[in-house]
Structures are given as structure tokens and as C-alpha cells.
């Protein structure tokens, strides 16, 4: 009896995915370069149809053909090295799948190299962290459709299920799956930063305790802001530190790390002329947080606004910040899905925007009630230029923009940094500006560089001797 799939890379994600596959009836061969993780999984998977191997050649030989080999190893050179070790043992038609957070251009390169050897390659975005890997992630497979069709029965089974459907859908060719995961992570960065800014306002401006803020997030999580990130934020704010007894959040160092996917999202947007200000501001907020020592020194040098804090009505302003957070999310997701749309057109990928929103409803880190509305917007208007102009969101923006404006203004006057909330408002006002100040920039460019300009009333390009 051969094994239906093999998993290489038995860190938490890899081993949890192997356990998930086995729990859904697959016979899973598993292998890791160091035997400790293989032994750990073997112990943990007593009774599961998981079969540990310590020799790569034996692992490969144990698989049904065409072989299906799923890699969950660190992105970058480790993926190339595993592929290099595998290829000598493979036959034409075998399928290698990379489930790590690989850069989509690396995936495209690997796809091409392996295609010349008759080996199929799928770049599969997996979102949901350790828990998601075990109980049901959101899965974004990219590569040849017919190769995907061979593994679809496994991945649709192990994916999160929402309303009876799997959070797994074929995304598109070559690197499209990893691209979709990359932008998912960019949206995740923005979402996390927006929540952090809402938390800052509630704590610093409304002077609420962590417990009170957790209660507010719990309440928001029962309404249109319902989402995994809102839910875990309430839990995080309630958590007490075992050493000091303080709210744990108060003793966590305010320096954010990042593994690169948000950065890649911004770079790809900038390279391709796609406005991605909110995601990029969330990335810069992380970079600025890393300058902790400089910020501590600057705090003693740079003064904030000297206006006396006026007493704000808590209930009224809690609603303003809820609306501001919702508006910020709409703008951030509008930018993320615009990046999908513009890139899809650029690369001819035909990304399924409605289905991408649908598979983000469960399993992934940005899973949220809100994605039902996004998928509905694309179902009714497949060629929607921008989420903001979908009737539902245009109406929401009309109702909630005042909340966002009030919070941003109050924050600015109070000296609270709102990189993403303010970027959201600027994006909203820029996108709805039928005529903008870009005409002055064109004039300036033509003045000093004779770069010419177009006119609103005549065809053609023009240059003026400005002196
Ligand atoms: C997911 C997560 C996952 C990763 C984080 C870490 O979708 O399951 O996004 O891919 O754990 O994104 O990324 P940073 O270290 O860059 O925040």
C-alpha cells in the first residue's frame, strides 16, 4: 500500500499539515532533514496514517505515482536545496508543491526549471498559522490547473470549510498562488496596524483600561468588524503577565519584526504603479518601531502639541473609532484587491477575485465577516474598478467617513501617530477626487524638464515656454 502524499519539512506548520491530511484519510509519508522532528511527529501521530522516513530515496519510493510531494520549508535557498535533492529520484509527471511563504518570482523560476524536466510544480499559499494548518487553513494553489486537479481532493479536504465549501480554490498559473498569499499578508499587515491605531486611541485618548478596551473589541467582534484579528486582540488585551501581574501587553517590547511578505507586497505595488499606501505605511510603522532606542532619545527632545486634553464623550468616540476602523479596513482591502486586479491584468492571470474573497472567509489570518460582502461585490460586478465604488461600500463610506475624519483630526491634534488611518483617509479623498493637484505637478515637470503635458480640452501633448 503506497502513500498518497509525502510531506517534507516537519516544523510546526509541516507536521500540523501532515496530521491534518492523515486525519482526513490520507496515507502520509513524512521526512525531515534532521531526524529529531521526524521522531517527534512519529510519536505524536500514533494511530494516524503517518509514515516516517529517514532516507529521502525511501520516502520518494513509498509514494503512489504520479508522486505528490509537499514542501513546508523556510522560503528561499532551503526550497531550492530540497528540490535539488529530490529531482534525481523523481519521474516525469511527479508533482512538487511548495507551501511556504515563497516569493512568487522564485516560484515562477522553479516552475520553469522543473517543467523542462517534466516535473510539475505548484506554489501554494497557506494561511492560518499553526492552528490553521492543523484544523483547516485557507489554501491558495497556483501552477498548472491539471496538476492542481490531481491534488485538489486532498487540499479541498484539509482546508477550512465555510458554509459547506472549502477555503481552497485554484488561483491561477505559475506564481499566482504565492502572489495571492503575499498580498494577503500585505493586507494582514495593514489590518493589524489599523487595529493597533484604534487601540492607541482608546487607551491614550479615551484613557480606557486594557480590560475596558478588550470588552469593546469583544463587542465589535459581534458586529460588522467580526474577524480573527479583532477576536485575538480582545484576548491579547485580557492576558495578564505571570511575572508582574500587569496586562502582558504592557511589558511587551514595542519593536515589530517581519519576515518579508508585507515588504514584497509594497515593492511589487511600487514596481507596477499600484497605489498601496496603507499597506506600505503599515510596513514603515514596523520599521519605525524598530528604531526603539532613537525613539526613546527623541521623546526627550521632541515636544508634542501643547493643547489641553478636552474631555471626550467616551460612548460617542468609541463609535467614531469603530467607524474609523471599518473605513480603514475598507480602504486597505480596496488597495489589496486593486493590487490583485491590476496585477492580474498585467500578467494575464485572470485572478478569481470573488473566489479569493470567499476562501479568505475562513482559515486565514484576515478571515472576517467582511469578506462575504467583498465576494458579493465581485459577484455582482466582476469588473469592479475598486471596492470603494461597490454600492454597499460607497454607502458605508458615506456614513462612516465622518468618524474617520474626526478620529484622524483628534489624533493629529493630540499628537497620536495614525499612519494607516490617515493614509486610509487620504486614499479615500484622493480616489474620489475627479480633478486633483496632479495638474500642477505636470506644469512643474514641463517647466523645468520640458516633460510635456496633456490638456483636458484638446487631444495631444503640449509644452509651454514658461519663462
Ligand atoms: C499566515 C501568516 C503567516 C506568517 C506571518 C508572519 O497567513 O498564516 O501571515 O504567513 O506567520 O505572516 O509574517 P510577518 O513575520 O512578516 O509578520
Amino acid at each position: 500500500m503506497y502513500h498518497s502524499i509525502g510531506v517534507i519539512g516537519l516544523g510546526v506548520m509541516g507536521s500540523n499539515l501532515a496530521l491534518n491530511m492523515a486525519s482526513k484519510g490520507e496515507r502520509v509519508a513524512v521526512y525531515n532533514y534532521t531526524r529529531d522532528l521526524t521522531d517527534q511527529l512519529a510519536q505524536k501521530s500514533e494511530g494516524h496514517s503517518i509514515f516516517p522516513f529517514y532516507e529521502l530515496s525511501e520516502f520518494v519510493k513509498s509514494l503512489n505515482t504520479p508522486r505528490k510531494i509537499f514542501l513546508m520549508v523556510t522560503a528561499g535557498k532551503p526550497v531550492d536545496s530540497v528540490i535539488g535533492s529530490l529531482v534525481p529520484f523523481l519521474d516525469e509527471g511527479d508533482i512538487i508543491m511548495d507551501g511556504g511563504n515563497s516569493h512568487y518570482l522564485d516560484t515562477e523560476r522553479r516552475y520553469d526549471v522543473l517543467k523542462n524536466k517534466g516535473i510539475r510544480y505548484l506554489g501554494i499559499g497557506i494561511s492560518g498559522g499553526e492552528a490553521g494548518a492543523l484544523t483547516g487553513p485557507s489554501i491558495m494553489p497556483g501552477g498548472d490547473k491539471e496538476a492542481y486537479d490531481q491534488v485538489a481532493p486532498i487540499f479541498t479536504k484539509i482546508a477550512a470549510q465555510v458554509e459547506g465549501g472549502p477555503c481552497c480554490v485554484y488561483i491561477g498559473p505559475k506564481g499566482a498562488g504565492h502572489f495571492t498569499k503575499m498580498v494577503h499578508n500585505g493586507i494582514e499587515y495593514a489590518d493589524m496596524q489599523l487595529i493597533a491605531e484604534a487601540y492607541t486611541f482608546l487607551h491614550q485618548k479615551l484613557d480606557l483600561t486594557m480590560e475596558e478596551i478588550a470588552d469593546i473589541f469583544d463587542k465589535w467582534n459581534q458586529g460588522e468588524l467580526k474577524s480573527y484579528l479583532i477576536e485575538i486582540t480582545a484576548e491579547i488585551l485580557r492576558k495578564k503577565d505571570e511575572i508582574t501581574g500587569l496586562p502582558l501587553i504592557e511589558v511587551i517590547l514595542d519593536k515589530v519584526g517581519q519576515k518579508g511578505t508585507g515588504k514584497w507586497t509594497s515593492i511589487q505595488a511600487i514596481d507596477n504603479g499600484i497605489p498601496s499606501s496603507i499597506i506600505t505605511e503599515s510596513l514603515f510603522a514596523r520599521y519605525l518601531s524598530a528604531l526603539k532606542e532613537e525613539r526613546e532619545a527623541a521623546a526627550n527632545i521632541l515636544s508634542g502639541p501643547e493643547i489641553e486634553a478636552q474631555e471626550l464623550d467616551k460612548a460617542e468616540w468609541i463609535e467614531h473609532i469603530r467607524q474609523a476602523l471599518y473605513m480603514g479596513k475598507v480602504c486597505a482591502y480596496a488597495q489589496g484587491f486593486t493590487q490583485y486586479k491590476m496585477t492580474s491584468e498585467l500578467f494575464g492571470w485572470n485572478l478569481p477575485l470573488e473566489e479569493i474573497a470567499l476562501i479568505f472567509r475562513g482559515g486565514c489570518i484576515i478571515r472576517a465577516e467582511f469578506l462575504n460582502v467583498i465576494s458579493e461585490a465581485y459577484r455582482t460586478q466582476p469588473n469592479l474598478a475598486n471596492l470603494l465604488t461597490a454600492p454597499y461600500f460607497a454607502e458605508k463610506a458615506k456614513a462612516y467617513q465622518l468618524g474617520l475624519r474626526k478620529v484622524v483630526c483628534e489624533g493629529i491634534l493630540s499628537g497620536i501617530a495614525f499612519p494607516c488611518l490617515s493614509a486610509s483617509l487620504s486614499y479615500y479623498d484622493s480616489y474620489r477626487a475627479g480633478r486633483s493637484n496632479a495638474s500642477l505637478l505636470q506644469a512643474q515637470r514641463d517647466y523645468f524638464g520640458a516633460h510635456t503635458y496633456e490638456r483636458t480640452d484638446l487631444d495631444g501633448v503640449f509644452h509651454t515656454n514658461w519663462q
Side-chain angles (χ1 to χ4, degrees):
M1 185 60 170
Y2 282 116
H3 306 125
S4 49
I5 188 166
V7 175
I8 297 180
L10 302 179
V12 179
M13 288 296 287
S15 49
N16 279 359
L17 282 163
L19 286 165
N20 186 344
M21 292 169 181
S23 72
K24 301 294 189 308
E26 298 302 326
R27 291 170 57 84
V28 187
V30 294
Y31 173 83
N32 196 74
Y33 266 94
T34 54
R35 59 176 304 142
D36 56 340
L37 294 184
T38 313
D39 291 340
Q40 270 174 36
L41 180 56
Q43 277 143 30
K44 208 160 66 168
S45 56
E46 284 298 319
H48 280 76
S49 53
I50 284 186
F51 306 89
F53 285 85
Y54 298 91
E55 286 300 324
L56 189 60
S57 55
E58 297 306 309
F59 164 85
V60 173
K61 260 192 262 171
S62 80
L63 298 173
N64 289 334
T65 54
R67 299 182 186 90
K68 303 174 185 72
I69 299 171
F70 184 83
L71 311 184
M72 187 48 97
V73 298
T74 309
K77 292 210 177 335
V79 176
D80 293 306
S81 135
V82 171
I83 291 173
S85 315
L86 266 176
V87 167
F89 302 116
L90 300 185
D91 299 318
E92 289 216 359
D94 285 350
I95 302 169
I96 298 180
M97 296 157 275
D98 172 13
N101 275 339
S102 293
H103 194 291
Y104 75 99
L105 293 177
D106 287 340
T107 301
E108 303 240 310
R109 166 175 57 80
R110 293 165 184 146
Y111 169 94
D112 290 336
V113 166
L114 290 167
K115 190 175 177 78
N116 292 333
K117 303 174 189 299
I119 295 167
R120 275 109 34 101
Y121 191 70
L122 294 174
I124 301 181
I126 304 266
S127 178
E130 301 161 17
L134 187 62
T135 58
S138 174
I139 301 175
M140 299 146 246
D144 291 343
K145 179 72 169 57
E146 51 81 31
Y148 168 67
D149 289 343
Q150 306 241 347
V151 298
I154 297 175
F155 287 95
T156 49
K157 242 182 341 190
I158 68 166
Q161 308 292 317
V162 173
E163 292 170 5
C167 291
C168 174
V169 70
Y170 175 69
I171 298 290
K174 296 178 82 169
H178 274 145
F179 173 81
T180 300
K181 175 58 172 44
M182 178 190 82
V183 177
H184 161 279
N185 280 30
I187 294 171
E188 174 189 300
Y189 280 35
D191 218 334
M192 291 164 68
Q193 179 63 29
L194 287 163
I195 287 171
E197 291 174 17
Y199 150 77
T200 306
F201 191 91
L202 293 167
H203 186 49
Q204 279 182 15
K205 194 67 198 157
L206 299 188
D207 197 23
L208 297 171
T209 66
M210 296 306 165
E211 206 56 40
E212 289 170 324
I213 300 171
D215 289 343
I216 291 168
F217 274 96
D218 273 338
K219 190 155 172 287
W220 288 353
N221 198 42
Q222 284 143 41
E224 57 192 0
L225 278 173
K226 182 173 171 46
S227 64
Y228 171 74
L229 287 172
I230 292 278
E231 180 188 341
I232 68 167
T233 300
E235 276 179 56
I236 288 164
L237 295 176
R238 288 194 204 289
K239 188 82 177 167
K240 290 287 184 286
D241 173 34
E242 284 158 15
I243 302 164
T244 62
L246 291 170
L248 182 55
I249 185 78
E250 289 181 5
V251 292
I252 292 178
L253 185 64
D254 53 317
K255 283 174 83 168
V256 187
Q258 53 99 22
K259 293 203 184 75
T261 46
K263 177 181 71 171
W264 298 342
T265 306
S266 291
I267 290 169
Q268 195 270 342
I270 289 167
D271 282 346
N272 292 285
I274 300 166
S276 179
S277 51
I278 307 164
I279 292 173
T280 305
E281 279 296 344
S282 70
L283 181 68
F284 289 163
R286 294 193 179 200
Y287 292 171
L288 203 53
S289 79
L291 303 177
K292 173 70 177 172
E293 295 68 30
E294 281 188 42
R295 290 190 287 114
E296 283 178 322
N300 299 321
I301 302 166
L302 303 175
S303 57
E306 272 153 31
I307 48 169
E308 81 256 14
Q310 70 200 28
E311 196 56 32
L312 295 179
D313 175 286
K314 287 191 167 55
E316 179 198 340
W317 280 88
I318 288 169
E319 178 53 14
H320 288 329
I321 192 70
R322 187 193 71 81
Q323 293 182 11
L325 182 52
Y326 190 90
M327 265 295 281
K329 275 178 75 102
V330 172
C331 294
Y333 281 67
Q335 288 192 346
F337 275 79
T338 296
Q339 190 159 357
Y340 286 139
K341 181 175 186 304
M342 290 178 74
T343 304
S344 181
E345 287 157 4
L346 215 55
F347 295 175
W349 277 349
N350 195 26
L351 291 181
L353 300 187
E354 177 195 349
E355 287 80 4
I356 288 173
L358 284 172
I359 67 168
F360 284 172
R361 290 178 302 161
C364 65
I365 300 295
I366 65 169
R367 60 184 182 270
E369 193 62 28
F370 179 72
L371 281 140
N372 282 302
V373 187
I374 292 180
S375 60
E376 181 59 20
Y378 285 112
R379 192 187 65 74
T380 45
Q381 293 177 276
N383 297 319
L384 187 63
N386 185 301
L387 267 180
L388 284 170
T389 56
Y392 179 89
F393 288 118
E395 273 311 299
K396 274 290 174 193
K398 190 170 172 195
Y400 285 9
Q401 60 176 291
L402 182 59
L404 178 57
R405 296 182 192 283
K406 280 179 172 284
V407 167
V408 169
C409 290
E410 193 57 39
I412 287 169
L413 285 171
S414 315
I416 299 175
F418 279 154
C420 283
L421 282 172
S422 53
S424 301
L425 185 54
S426 294
Y427 176 66
Y428 178 72
D429 284 337
S430 301
Y431 190 75
R432 67 185 188 83
R435 176 131 175 89
S436 74
N437 52 29
S439 45
L440 179 58
L441 274 74
Q442 279 296 76
Q444 290 163 337
R445 292 179 67 243
D446 190 54
Y447 183 106
F448 58 68
H451 293 294
T452 72
Y453 57 86
E454 296 169 275
R455 289 175 56 105
T456 53
D457 53 358
L458 296 171
D459 288 340
V461 287
F462 301 84
H463 168 61
T464 297
N465 285 322
W466 296 90
Q467 282 85 345

